[in-house]
């Protein structure tokens, strides 16, 4: 992204933060009023029952004293941005990365499953794509299924895969990786098939005039030509893989990872933990895509395709 | 023995498909539909033979016949789950998210500054693991379908927004100048030129969003739901090791997902018949 794009993007982010900050007061008003009353402040109306009749905003305007308190509630319905930032800071920077309290530790648990799955899915996807491009029977039989499978909510399979593999004694990293692999597999297949077929007739004819073999045609023309398509699919695939790993942690009550953190925060009434895990996952996804974009730019430039 | 039979099934299926695919009529509509169907039947037949003959426990992988039987006997339950998750949760959320995305896209379209800001932020948000919002919405809106609809609305919002904004930019200066020579203002230009031109992009976003909608509705049920719904049924049946029920729900999800996507593709074909990709 160039400098010109940063200012508008920051403005939009700022706007979202503003809405969030404003929404904290009405969302938390009732909880804050209850807490303030227990701490000895006088609320209008006095009975918690009566307060339910008012909307959050009206309640806050009736009791201006609770407005600052709403931002520092211990168990808010909507945590304020600074609370989430503080939780992220303490769990990322002040805890040892090996500690179970550290978000870096949980990030690594999810990330290792994501990366393993991504590598498996990408490798298989590229291999299948080569098969589809070179074998007409495979193209006709597998390709329609590859496309249809994208319309199926594969994540519904996640809990079953984990239990299935658990029943034959495989636990931990591998089941989550398989879900990740499955999710990154099909974008790669579809993108690679498109990419390997992208050289046009003229280019293929040119190779024929050089009397290039099929092997040379693959390594010197088709594979390089598929690179832009491959990278586009990889960027879709890696964020899908991360979602897969997180969802893989949900249904069986995993002990570690972003999904486990979200679940723990949900079950033990610690919304700030859930929010921090959500943002941690978001930042991880953004970093993964950014790394792939960087590699993409470098690779395409070296291949003479990344002029822009 | 089981492996031999499976291998024979595979060889037979492959032989027929190879004949059909390399035959003279392989590009006709019927044949290109028949080949993947034969492939699918081959896989299912191998699955059935291997699982029953090798005595694989149905707790690990039930044979297709058992799944079909379970499907047939629990249609009322599957229908109730379908209604709760797909019709109430996913569809409501999809429509709300779609309308919101269109509204924001039209707003962003009026200012160049906003477009420049929304596109990167929207692309970033679209790549996020939005399923993580599920526990939050379930806390806020209760465990019934409303919270699922909210998760779905947020999930489908960004892909539709990004595609619509990109689509609205997809007219050439020449076309816009032509509209100006006709004396068309912002709204006539929008409705007569730019919205139709944006439709292929919009439908791309809508098609991506169909799968996301189902995923969001099902996954959100893992965080709490009434005692009905596909996500609820999947997680409880997994707990009871009733994997045939899980697979029956997956069949429902697959059918619903394909039908939803197919419906969008059908509308796309009717509305963007002029686009090169549809000819």
């Amino acid at each position: 992204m160039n400098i010109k794009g940063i200012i508008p993007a920051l403005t939009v982010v700022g706007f979202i933060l503003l809405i969030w900050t404003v929404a904290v007061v009405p969302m938390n008003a009732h909880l804050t009023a209850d807490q303030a009353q227990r701490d000895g402040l006088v609320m209008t109306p006095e009975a918690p029952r009566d307060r339910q009749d008012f909307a959050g905003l009206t309640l806050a305007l009736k009791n201006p004293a609770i407005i600052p308190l709403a931002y520092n509630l211990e168990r808010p319905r909507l945590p304020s941005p600074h609370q989430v930032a503080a939780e992220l800071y303490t769990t990322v920077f002040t805890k040892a990365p090996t500690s179970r309290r550290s978000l870096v530790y949980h990030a690594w648990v999810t990330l290792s499953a994501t990366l393993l799955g991504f590598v498996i899915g990408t490798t298989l996807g590229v291999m299948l794509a080569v098969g589809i491009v070179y074998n007409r029977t495979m193209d006709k039989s597998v390709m329609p299924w590859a496309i249809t499978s994208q319309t199926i909510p594969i994540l519904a399979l996640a809990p079953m895969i984990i239990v299935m593999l658990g029943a034959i004694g495989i636990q931990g990293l591998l089941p989550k990786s398989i879900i990740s692999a499955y999710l990154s597999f099909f974008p790669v297949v579809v993108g690679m098939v498109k990419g390997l077929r992208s050289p046009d007739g003229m280019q293929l004819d040119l190779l024929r005039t050089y009397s290039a073999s099929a092997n040379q045609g693959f390594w010197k023309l088709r594979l390089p030509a598929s690179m832009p398509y491959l990278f586009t699919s990889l960027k879709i695939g890696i964020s899908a893989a991360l979602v897969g790993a997180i969802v893989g942690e949900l249904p069986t009550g995993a002990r570690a990872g972003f999904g486990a953190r979200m679940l723990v925060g949900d079950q033990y009434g610690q919304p700030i933990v859930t929010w921090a895990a959500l943002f941690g996952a978001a930042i991880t996804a953004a970093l993964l895509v950014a790394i792939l974009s960087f590699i993409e730019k470098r690779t395409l430039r070296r291949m003479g395709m990344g002029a822009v | 023995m089981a492996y031999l039979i499976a291998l024979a099934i595979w060889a037979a299926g492959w032989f027929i498909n190879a004949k059909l695919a390399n035959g003279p009529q392989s590009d006709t509509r019927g044949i290109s539909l028949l080949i993947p169907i034969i492939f699918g039947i081959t896989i299912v037949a191998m699955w059935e033979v291997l699982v029953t003959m090798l005595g694989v426990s149905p707790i690990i992988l039930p044979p297709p016949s058992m799944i079909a039987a379970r499907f047939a006997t629990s249609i009322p339950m599957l229908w109730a789950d379908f209604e709760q998750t797909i019709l109430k949760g996913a569809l409501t959320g999809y429509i709300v998210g779609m309308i919101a995305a269109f509204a924001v896209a039209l707003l962003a379209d009026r200012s160049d500054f906003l477009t420049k800001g929304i596109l990167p932020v929207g692309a970033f948000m679209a790549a996020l693991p939005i399923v993580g919002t599920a526990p939050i919405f379930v806390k806020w809106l209760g465990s019934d379908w409303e919270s699922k609809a909210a998760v779905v609305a947020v999930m489908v919002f960004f892909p539709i927004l990004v595609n619509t904004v990109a689509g609205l930019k997809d007219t050439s200066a020449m076309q816009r100048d032509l509209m100006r020579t006709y004396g068309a203002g912002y709204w006539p230009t929008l409705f007569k030129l730019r919205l139709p031109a944006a439709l292929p992009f919009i439908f791309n976003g809508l098609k991506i969003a169909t799968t996301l909608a189902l995923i969001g509705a099902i996954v959100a049920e893992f965080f709490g739901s009434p005692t009905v719904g596909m996500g609820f049924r999947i997680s409880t049946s997994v707990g009871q090791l009733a994997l045939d029920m899980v697979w029956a729900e997956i069949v429902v999800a697959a059918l619903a997902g394909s039908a939803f996507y197919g419906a969008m593709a059908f509308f796309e074909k009717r509305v963007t018949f002029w686009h090169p990709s549809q000819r």
Side-chain angles (χ1 to χ4, degrees), chain A residues 28-270:
Chain A
N28 293 337
H30 291 96
L31 283 173
T32 318
D34 294 347
Q35 183 62 42
Q37 195 165 42
R38 260 173 267 143
D39 294 343
L41 282 173
V42 178
M43 291 287 119
T44 45
E46 196 120 7
R49 236 325 194 6
D50 296 338
R51 286 203 289 270
Q52 292 302 326
D53 296 340
F54 290 96
L57 192 61
T58 343
L59 191 66
L61 290 177
K62 273 180 185 296
N63 304 285
I66 65 170
I67 293 176
L69 299 176
Y71 287 97
N72 290 304
L73 213 57
E74 199 185 331
R75 297 186 165 190
R77 284 183 81 195
L78 176 63
S80 58
H82 79 85
Q83 282 178 311
V84 176
E87 169 80 9
L88 270 176
Y89 179 81
T90 41
T91 48
V92 171
F93 294 107
T94 62
K95 302 273 192 290
T98 47
S99 149
R100 298 192 61 92
R101 290 210 189 129
S102 165
L103 205 59
V104 179
Y105 165 78
H106 293 283
W108 174 245
V109 171
T110 304
L111 192 63
S112 54
T114 306
L115 292 180
L116 179 63
F118 180 66
V119 170
I120 298 173
T122 307
T123 316
L124 291 178
V126 170
M127 276 161 53
L128 185 67
V130 173
I132 284 176
V133 167
Y134 278 95
N135 184 322
R136 199 174 155 75
T137 316
M138 229 159 137
D139 174 28
K140 290 260 169 190
S141 8
V142 183
M143 202 53 192
W145 287 106
I147 293 170
T148 317
S149 75
Q150 296 208 302
T151 69
I152 300 168
I154 298 297
L155 283 183
L157 283 167
M160 192 195 50
I161 291 175
I162 290 185
V163 168
M164 222 168 89
L165 292 174
I168 50 176
I170 302 172
Q171 278 169 344
L173 195 63
L174 201 59
K176 288 191 273 173
S177 304
I178 288 175
I179 298 163
S180 291
Y182 204 104
L183 287 172
S184 48
F185 176 70
F186 285 106
V188 171
V189 172
V190 174
M192 255 327 247
V193 167
K194 229 187 218 169
L196 289 172
R197 288 207 172 124
S198 64
D200 58 21
M202 204 130 80
Q203 292 167 316
L204 292 169
D205 283 346
L206 181 64
L207 271 194
R208 216 163 296 140
T209 65
Y210 292 162
S211 77
S213 68
N215 242 328
Q216 286 170 321
F218 177 76
W219 291 108
K220 299 216 154 104
L221 176 61
R222 283 191 191 269
L223 195 65
S226 70
M227 282 302 128
Y229 295 87
L230 176 66
F231 275 110
T232 311
S233 322
L234 288 183
K235 284 193 278 185
I236 300 170
I238 194 132
S239 40
L242 186 72
V243 175
I246 292 174
V247 173
E249 287 162 357
L250 296 181
T252 50
R255 298 250 177 86
F258 284 133
R261 288 293 274 186
M262 289 173 193
L263 215 53
V264 163
D266 183 44
Q267 285 166 350
Y268 295 94
Q270 296 171 307

Side-chain angles (χ1 to χ4, degrees), chain A residues 1 4-5 7-13 16 27 76-79 135-138 140-142 144-145 147-160 163-164 167-168 183 235 239-240 242-243 246-247 250-252 259 262-263 265-267 269 271 274-275 278 281-283 285-286 289, chain B residues 14 17-19 21-23 26-28 31-32 35-37 39-41 59-61 112-114 116-118 120-121 124-133 135-136 138-141 210-211 214-215 218-219 222-223 234-235 238-239 241 243 246-247 250 253-259 261-262:
Chain A
M1 205 198 316
K4 268 188 191 163
I7 295 168
L10 281 182
T11 315
V12 172
V13 171
I16 294 172
M27 286 292 286
R77 284 183 81 195
L78 176 63
N135 184 322
R136 199 174 155 75
T137 316
M138 229 159 137
K140 290 260 169 190
S141 8
V142 183
W145 287 106
I147 293 170
T148 317
S149 75
Q150 296 208 302
T151 69
I152 300 168
I154 298 297
L155 283 183
L157 283 167
M160 192 195 50
V163 168
M164 222 168 89
I168 50 176
L183 287 172
K235 284 193 278 185
S239 40
L242 186 72
V243 175
I246 292 174
V247 173
L250 296 181
T252 50
M262 289 173 193
L263 215 53
D266 183 44
Q267 285 166 350
T274 307
W275 281 77
L278 185 60
I283 294 164
V289 173
Chain B
W14 196 254
N17 270 353
K19 274 268 173 229
N22 299 311
S26 66
D27 284 325
T28 56
I31 299 290
S32 24
I35 293 175
I37 291 175
F39 182 76
I41 293 173
I59 291 169
I60 293 174
L61 188 63
D112 228 20
F113 183 80
L114 263 184
K116 269 194 205 132
I118 283 182
V121 175
F124 169 76
M125 299 287 269
L128 299 186
I130 305 278
V131 283
T133 52
I136 296 163
V138 172
K139 268 263 143 62
W140 286 354
L141 299 172
T210 53
T211 325
L214 299 201
I215 289 175
I218 294 174
V219 169
F222 296 155
F223 283 99
I234 288 173
S235 52
V238 161
L241 295 177
L243 281 215
V246 180
W247 277 99
I250 287 168
L255 290 176
S258 307
Y261 188 94

Side-chain angles (χ1 to χ4, degrees), chain A residues 160, chain B residues 47-48 61-74 78 243-251:
Chain A
M160 192 195 50
Chain B
W47 173 1
E48 177 80 39
L61 188 63
S65 55
M66 193 169 154
I67 298 164
R70 170 60 78 135
F71 189 96
T73 50
S74 31
L78 290 171
L243 281 215
D244 49 347
M245 192 69 218
V246 180
W247 277 99
E249 290 286 355
I250 287 168
V251 172

